[in-house]
Amino acid sequence: MTKFYSIIILTGVIHSFSFAQINPRLQSKVNAMIRELEPKVVEWRRDIHQHPELSNREFKTAAKVAGHLKSLGMDVKTEVAHTGVVAVLKGGKPGPVVALRADMDALPVTEQNDLPFASREKAIFNDQETGVMHACGHDAHVAILMGVAEILAKNRSDLKGTVKFIFQPAEEGAPEGEEGGAKLMIEEGVLENPKVDVIFGLHIQSFLPLGKIKYRPGGMMAATDWFTIKVKGRQAHGAYPWRGIDPVVVSSQIIIGLQTVISRQSELVKNAAVLTVATIHGGIRKNIIPGEVEMSGTIRTLDTNMQKEIHERIIRTATNIAESAGATAEVEIEKAFPVVYNNPQLTEKMLPTLQRVAVEKDNLIFMDADLGGEDFAFYGQQVPGLFFYIGACPPNVDPATAPVHHTPDFMMDENCMVNGMSALVNLTLDYMYSK
């Protein structure tokens, strides 16, 4: 049904890490199991794609995952951080605890793809009816980790340590007024009992060619912050603006002023940063100047000092511009996700594994930092972690024009799930056997 990209063993030593301890029989066995399991993993992914669920509402997905893990004889815990599922697989030999994480939530996006398993689900999000779609590849992440769980469970006697499978809800953010995601899972003890030594995670990328793997030690993805600015003026008739204080005009000046926070006030040779005003709301009638306008957006940074300085400059810019017009500006900034930080020593140690999975030398890519955000970052604050991208762009599609994540025409090549399974299985085994 799908083409398998074969996995080979590299000879020699790459960097300072050797695979001499790996049992060749086990290596050959798990590679064969990945090939055999591929059709089932594709079927899981399509079912999850057809029945997506929003953040903190992943009830059916969680039930599917929990049922599979229980069938493999694992110790399974459900309702972690609302709908999360955590399973523990104890190997036949003592060793470290390796955690593997997949995110389960879909997005409030109405799918436009003509697929037999396209989503037709509807839901209410922010008081509006919307379609629901796995427009970021989380359906593939879940299916991949379910496959990895089956392969490792069937080889538990050969495992030198313990594997903790983390199926996480609400990576895209919890609904308004709720907690969720990686932060809440950590607060509820997902990294304890047994205590996790390292954690691995992946994300498919729709515009990265199939077979490619991208990685970066240190700061890989940006810290994500949200901001809201309420500009308060004085309501007036549209014919007599001098009788009021126009928050619409003031808001437009603030938006222009905020552009200089990045372009003129941030030392971008140190690290990249982005400030985006994404929404603006105000007014109810064409001839009424409103009393208040609200705007909101996101801030992306890769450096904690720059993050702090940008926050301060946003507040200063908005409040001073508003005061110059006799208005006021109230600025609220919420820190959502920290920087996704790949432990440099762990990354260096596991590069030979990623290279083996990528097969060809050019398929393993040292990437530039990404200004997207990921709450995998919270795990990396607690234990050494490694997060990486798996290519999912079909060979017949130009990566430059491939539909991007969070869009209604988002697509992925299902062949990428073989590489995903191979990466997580081999990272787990290689780390265990290196200890």
Side-chain angles (χ1 to χ4, degrees), residues 4 16 23 25 32 36-37 47 49 62 67-68 71 106 129 132 136 146 162 176 192 233 272 278 364 371 375 378 381:
F4 176 73
S16 60
N23 185 328
R25 177 195 60 79
E36 294 167 0
L37 196 59
D47 179 61
H49 185 91
H68 177 62
S71 74
E129 185 178 69
V132 184
C136 199
M146 289 172 68
T162 298
E176 193 74 27
E192 305 295 332
L364 184 62
L371 288 174
D375 79 350
F378 288 110
Q381 288 186 324

Side-chain angles (χ1 to χ4, degrees), residues 356-424:
R356 190 171 76 241
V357 173
V359 183
E360 297 178 12
K361 182 179 179 181
D362 293 343
N363 280 348
L364 184 62
I365 302 168
F366 182 97
M367 61 178 276
D368 295 328
D370 188 337
L371 288 174
E374 236 285 353
D375 79 350
F376 186 87
F378 288 110
Y379 301 114
Q381 288 186 324
Q382 305 297 318
V383 299
L386 173 57
F387 194 74
F388 53 96
Y389 286 133
I390 294 286
C393 183
N396 61 341
V397 175
D398 181 357
T401 60
V404 296
H405 298 241
H406 291 214
T407 62
D409 56 347
F410 170 83
M411 289 283 284
M412 54 161 277
D413 190 319
E414 291 174 327
N415 287 298
C416 73
M417 294 190 291
V418 166
N419 272 359
M421 283 191 290
S422 178
L424 293 181

Side-chain angles (χ1 to χ4, degrees), residues 128-259:
Q128 298 181 50
E129 185 178 69
T130 178
V132 184
M133 177 188 175
H134 273 292
C136 199
H138 296 187
D139 50 344
H141 301 167
V142 173
I144 286 169
L145 194 54
M146 289 172 68
V148 171
E150 182 164 331
I151 291 166
L152 294 179
K154 291 181 176 179
N155 291 279
R156 72 182 72 206
S157 62
D158 289 308
L159 299 184
K160 293 181 66 176
T162 298
V163 187
K164 182 174 281 189
F165 298 93
I166 301 173
F167 290 84
Q168 178 203 305
E171 187 280 325
E172 299 290 355
E176 193 74 27
E178 297 182 19
E179 293 183 295
K183 186 177 181 181
L184 185 57
M185 293 204 85
I186 292 168
E187 290 173 1
E188 295 190 5
V190 73
L191 298 178
E192 305 295 332
N193 302 315
K195 185 174 177 59
V196 170
D197 292 298
V198 294
I199 186 167
F200 299 116
L202 60 75
H203 205 299
I204 69 163
Q205 198 168 62
S206 66
F207 47 89
L208 178 66
L210 189 66
K212 306 286 186 182
I213 297 175
K214 289 200 303 190
Y215 76 97
R216 182 182 180 85
M220 175 183 168
M221 299 179 73
T224 301
D225 303 320
W226 311 116
F227 69 87
T228 301
I229 303 175
K230 292 181 180 179
V231 181
K232 296 184 178 181
R234 187 168 67 245
Q235 189 165 316
H237 194 295
Y240 313 112
W242 56 88
R243 293 182 179 273
I245 299 173
D246 191 340
V248 176
V249 173
V250 174
S251 294
S252 68
Q253 293 171 336
I254 289 174
I255 292 171
I256 296 301
L258 290 178
Q259 306 311 304

